[in-house]
Amino acid sequence: MRLEEEVRIPDTARNLNGGAMSTLEVQIEEPVTFVISGALGDLARRKLIPALYTLFKEGALTADFAIVGFARRDYDNRSFCKLMEESLREHSRTAVDEPSLKAFCSHLSYYRGDLSDPAAYAGLKAKFDDGTLPANRLFYLSITPDLVESAVTGLRQAGLITPPHSKPWTRTVVEKPFGRNLQSAKALNRMLLDHLDESQIYRIDHYLGKETVQNILSFRFANTIFEPVFNRTYVDNIQITAAETVGMESGRGAFYDQTGALRDMVVNHLFQLLCLVTMEPPDGLEARSIRNEKMKVLRALHLATATTHHPAVCFGQYGGDSSVKAFRQEERVSPQSKTETFAALRMEINNWRWAGVPIYLRTGKRLAKKTTEIAVQFKTPPLSLFQHVACKGDVCDLAGVKPNTLIFRIQPDEGIFLQVSAKRPSMQMVVESVNMDFSYSGKWDKALPEAYERLLLDALRGDSTLFTRSDEVEAEWEVIDDILAIATKSEPAVYAPGSWGPAEADAVLLSTGWKNE
Ligand code: BG6
């Protein structure tokens, strides 16, 4: 390929923002209206608007894109812009400057209406009909689950949903929770599929938009050396942790008390990480192939069998101390709440590759530090060469050496680390564990894109690879339903805020040596 061919920029790739190629390397190529239903809510202000602003500044949106904030409260275009400006100043990762803000605001408008009132949608339709808004439409349903049905029905009845695979196109992004259990997830899917085609539904799990999560597949399948050892012959166990230091900030008490860690984190984010790290190589990188492989994992996934000394589950709830409230004292949380704010699970995948390999999942609020990582721990090598505890001559004990562990650090300090054993420089044969590190910050100096930037751009471009399909969601609930039944019957163990969860979790995590660290 000649150089001129490589760098030729198609007209559609230029935008108002200086006409430059997007610095994100991809951009949408057609005019779109992005409607945020629930535009005054926390998610819109903290994540959606900042992500759209970054996409705009980076040149990924076309010149004639439009963002419509749809909500009930009394705002107009001006006051809505003002509010969004404030959000950007607080939450944008991209520098906020006056000219860009002004230009961004010129794409924003506010549409006032009751999301549960079908008449409100007719007014919105009129704006598409009279050409005020670009005809391709993406509806982001940033609303509580109880409003989803009336919102989708309203869109349908007003004629806002165009036929699938046609132009202008319609897409809807649906936020979790996708139901509360298998039965309600199925009902939600049925309802969505009554009004929309599966190809028009984008169920968002923001973990899939994280750069480090996408790298799991590249790392596994773009290298030859790891895949042959990713199986029950070589892997001792897999540990997936999503620990958070936050509690019920931003008034989440009422929502979380109804939800708990299993529904909030495990059934979606942790199961998705588990699928990516254990799935078979897909036959392509498009949505269908990857989702099909994830489905196979979910069908084979189940809770491990508990024994008296080795339970398969532990649920916890954070207590308080002099500086933070206990969960039961949080605003809008029942003082008798039994909701789990911590969960540790021992799972298994019943297939040829992973049979018998424990997969430990652990997540919780108010833990010692914010960290999300996947550790694939390999079996220890045969130790017969190094049996002696003390060094004799130049031979020392290997038993203290840690097994090889491959760590995918999702956040923070994003990177991939491999722990290996090496000889410490000495006159004796002393072996110790050392790290081979790849860290994003050491390799690339630019900040990683936010998950929402990637996912919104994908939805705008019609790429559903990083979104979950209806059967995937149902398969996830099928696995968690049994675990929820156990959680409902158990009393969560109280743990100290700032700890690694209840001591009882150690028994679940027994064989890993991972415990409270
Ligand atoms: C959300 C959960 O989906 O993920 C929150 O509802 C949780 O409770 C959040 O805090 C964690 O996301 P991240 O990207 O900070 O790990």
Side-chain angles (χ1 to χ4, degrees), residues 262 303-304 306 310-315 342-347 482-483 486-487 490 504-505 507-508:
L262 291 172
L303 189 65
H310 200 183
V313 297
C314 171
F315 303 111
F342 172 95
L345 307 173
R346 187 159 50 91
M347 309 290 296
D482 293 343
I483 305 173
I486 303 173
S490 38
E504 288 84 338
V508 177

Side-chain angles (χ1 to χ4, degrees), residues 176 206-207 210 244 246 252 255-256 264-265 269 365 370 372 411:
K176 76 178 190 46
H206 80 280
Y207 264 54
K210 290 181 191 281
E244 296 186 272
V246 291
R252 292 188 91 215
F255 162 79
Y256 197 89
D264 189 45
M265 294 291 290
H269 305 327
K365 298 278 186 202
K370 167 90 179 163
T372 306
Q411 62 189 14

Side-chain angles (χ1 to χ4, degrees), residues 81-376:
C81 275
K82 196 110 208 78
L83 191 71
M84 294 305 118
E85 274 183 33
E86 282 165 24
S87 303
L88 286 172
R89 287 189 203 285
E90 201 177 335
H91 301 293
S92 175
R93 79 168 179 95
T94 316
V96 173
D97 58 87
E98 285 307 323
S100 312
L101 269 183
K102 211 168 150 211
F104 182 67
C105 256
S106 70
H107 295 270
L108 243 58
S109 62
Y110 186 72
Y111 178 73
R112 186 179 170 202
D114 180 349
L115 291 154
S116 59
D117 174 12
Y121 295 84
L124 190 57
K125 173 78 167 32
K127 287 184 179 290
F128 283 97
D129 290 346
D130 68 15
T132 315
L133 296 171
N136 294 314
R137 58 208 67 173
L138 187 149
F139 297 104
Y140 197 111
L141 306 183
S142 175
I143 51 183
T144 51
D146 54 312
L147 282 177
V148 172
E149 180 158 9
S150 49
V152 177
T153 315
L155 292 174
R156 177 62 185 269
Q157 285 174 355
L160 277 161
I161 300 174
T162 54
H165 314 293
S166 70
K167 295 267 172 131
W169 52 254
T170 303
R171 293 174 199 141
T172 50
V173 180
V174 185
E175 269 287 339
K176 76 178 190 46
F178 312 118
R180 287 189 55 73
N181 49 31
L182 178 59
Q183 200 190 359
S184 54
K186 281 186 168 167
L188 177 65
N189 277 336
R190 263 198 309 275
M191 186 282 292
L192 290 172
L193 292 166
D194 275 350
H195 298 291
L196 295 149
D197 185 70
E198 178 68 36
S199 64
Q200 296 174 310
I201 307 169
Y202 288 67
R203 295 174 194 79
I204 200 164
D205 181 320
H206 80 280
Y207 264 54
L208 293 179
K210 290 181 191 281
E211 190 64 36
T212 41
V213 172
Q214 291 159 48
N215 198 17
I216 297 171
L217 289 190
S218 322
F219 191 82
R220 287 189 59 198
F221 302 129
N223 293 296
T224 337
I225 59 170
F226 298 105
E227 210 36 38
V229 293
F230 255 58
N231 56 49
R232 68 191 150 87
T233 313
Y234 296 100
V235 173
D236 184 78
N237 68 76
I238 299 178
Q239 306 148 35
I240 303 180
T241 304
E244 296 186 272
T245 50
V246 291
M248 293 300 110
E249 288 83 356
S250 20
R252 292 188 91 215
F255 162 79
Y256 197 89
D257 197 15
Q258 293 300 311
T259 308
L262 291 172
R263 291 188 176 94
D264 189 45
M265 294 291 290
V266 178
V267 72
N268 32 62
H269 305 327
L270 265 59
F271 278 6
Q272 287 294 327
L273 295 181
L274 184 155
C275 283
L276 293 174
V277 86
T278 58
M279 67 185 239
E280 294 300 318
D283 57 14
L285 285 177
E286 72 283 3
R288 188 191 52 82
S289 307
I290 292 179
R291 288 161 156 191
N292 286 350
E293 293 307 332
K294 286 198 284 175
M295 266 307 286
K296 289 186 202 158
V297 174
L298 289 168
R299 285 208 192 100
L301 180 67
H302 62 92
L303 189 65
T305 311
T307 63
T308 323
H309 299 297
H310 200 183
V313 297
C314 171
F315 303 111
Q317 189 185 80
Y318 63 81
D321 62 14
S322 53
S323 51
V324 298
K325 286 183 186 165
F327 180 68
R328 289 181 181 182
Q329 264 104 55
E330 297 275 15
E331 224 176 292
R332 298 172 70 204
V333 170
S334 156
Q336 285 85 41
S337 174
K338 288 187 176 180
T339 301
E340 76 288 352
T341 61
F342 172 95
L345 307 173
R346 187 159 50 91
M347 309 290 296
E348 275 174 7
I349 300 174
N350 217 349
N351 66 14
W352 189 268
R353 188 191 277 258
W354 295 115
V357 177
I359 315 229
Y360 298 96
L361 305 182
R362 167 171 71 165
T363 185
K365 298 278 186 202
R366 287 255 186 271
L367 295 183
K369 78 175 185 212
K370 167 90 179 163
T371 180
T372 306
E373 68 175 41
I374 303 171
V376 180

Side-chain angles (χ1 to χ4, degrees), residues 371-411:
T371 180
T372 306
E373 68 175 41
I374 303 171
V376 180
Q377 189 170 308
F378 293 90
K379 295 190 171 166
T380 34
L383 297 176
S384 51
L385 264 183
F386 304 92
Q387 282 168 354
H388 308 285
V389 174
C391 291
K392 275 196 188 150
D394 60 357
V395 177
C396 289
D397 176 41
L398 241 198
V401 167
K402 290 185 186 163
N404 294 137
T405 305
L406 179 65
I407 297 172
F408 295 89
R409 175 81 46 74
I410 309 296
Q411 62 189 14

Side-chain angles (χ1 to χ4, degrees), residues 483-514:
I483 305 173
L484 281 168
I486 303 173
T488 313
K489 284 191 234 131
S490 38
E491 184 77 35
V494 174
Y495 59 94
S499 69
W500 277 107
E504 288 84 338
D506 290 359
V508 177
L509 313 171
L510 206 61
S511 71
T512 63
W514 173 38

